[in-house]
Amino acid sequence: MSRPPYHGLDFHVGKTPLVRLKRLSELTGCEILGKAEFMNPGGSVKDRAAHGIITDAERRGLLKPGDTIVEGTAGNTGIGLTVVGHARGYKTVIVIPDTQSPEKFQQLRTLGAEVMPVPAKPYSDPGNYNHIARGLAEERGWFWANQFDNTANRKAHYDTTGPEIWEQTGGSVDAFVASVGTGGTLAGTSQYLKERNPKVAAVCADPYGAAMWSWFTNGNLDDDDGDSFAEGIGQGRVTKNLEGITVDKAYRIGDQVALSVIYQLLHEEGIFVGLSSGINVAGAVRYALEHGPGLTIATILCDSGAKYQSKIFNPEWLLENGLEPGLPVESALKV
Ligand code: PMP
């Protein structure tokens, strides 16, 4: 018998399980399904974007072994670029706002990335982490991954996340729900699913303090309404990855609702995820309540809760920030 082909870790990004969220499926009469992206090699959905961006840059001759990749990131893209980058012989420099969880800094440093914490500043400020990363690339001749406006990001989801969900649901998916950081996940996945079946609804779940709900609902970028502790999401502009996409419905989800969802998943289903996953799943439940029963709704379990142990899984931190872990999910979601 011939030996099967074996591959390095960079080959094993994606092909994640699509997990039935039992309790919420029963409560809504819909199949609520979460793509277990925390099972990726670097532990998040951003491994897909990192893999897509690096592979695209190699194809275009922009990267050769020994080169340095620089990126501005809330952390997960930096982890993905470092894991895939090391597997392919690149170094990484990660520019990250100092508001992000300490666990992400630790993980990046342990992986061997050069980590540059910077004060959190809006995109309009030249000190914003993305502009710093671009400046470093220009000065030092490094490759800038540019996840927000490099459409190799959304293409990675068009090529992988979309087809996987289509296959895993046997083509029966009715809606896809995602929050927006760069927009790569929402754009690429929904574009693919709509090409297979134009009736698949693309749904955006937005945290407070971001502009995507306003953008997809009213066509303006108002974002002066509240705030969120969710890391990795909360976009205020139309990135290149979001340009031209069709979104059928958008919801705003509060942190307390998302928190109730992730504690329910943790205690009743053994699923340990971060706050953006809670926002996604709450969005899926809202869509189910408005359009179900009987629908199959897929969403993204973006990353593991282990990255936020010191914050949303720390009772003292929750108390300081006016959040409660123990609210029943039925009342939080009004199911
Ligand atoms: N959740 C988390 C935890 C993330 O790190 C990100 C990416 N920044 C997202 C959700 C959003 O993904 P995307 O960039 O594809 O919109």
Side-chain angles (χ1 to χ4, degrees), residues 122-194:
Y123 188 76
S124 54
D125 190 304
N128 171 275
Y129 63 119
N130 288 297
H131 305 320
I132 293 181
R134 186 190 56 225
L136 283 167
E138 282 164 7
E139 253 169 51
R140 318 238 175 131
W142 293 341
F143 172 71
W144 179 37
N146 190 14
Q147 57 169 329
F148 290 91
D149 296 308
N150 180 347
T151 52
N153 169 359
R154 81 173 179 194
K155 182 152 189 309
H157 292 284
Y158 180 91
D159 290 342
T160 67
T161 322
E164 287 171 33
I165 291 174
W166 183 258
E167 269 173 40
Q168 287 169 313
T169 58
S172 72
V173 59
D174 295 296
F176 174 69
V177 184
S179 51
V180 170
T182 62
T185 309
L186 179 63
T189 309
S190 62
Q191 235 174 353
Y192 177 87
L193 293 174
K194 278 179 181 289

Side-chain angles (χ1 to χ4, degrees), residues 45-46 76 157 179-185 231-233 276 302-303 308:
V45 64
K46 299 303 306 209
N76 279 330
H157 292 284
S179 51
V180 170
T182 62
T185 309
E231 296 185 21
I233 58 173
S276 70
C302 311
D303 67 355
Y308 311 99

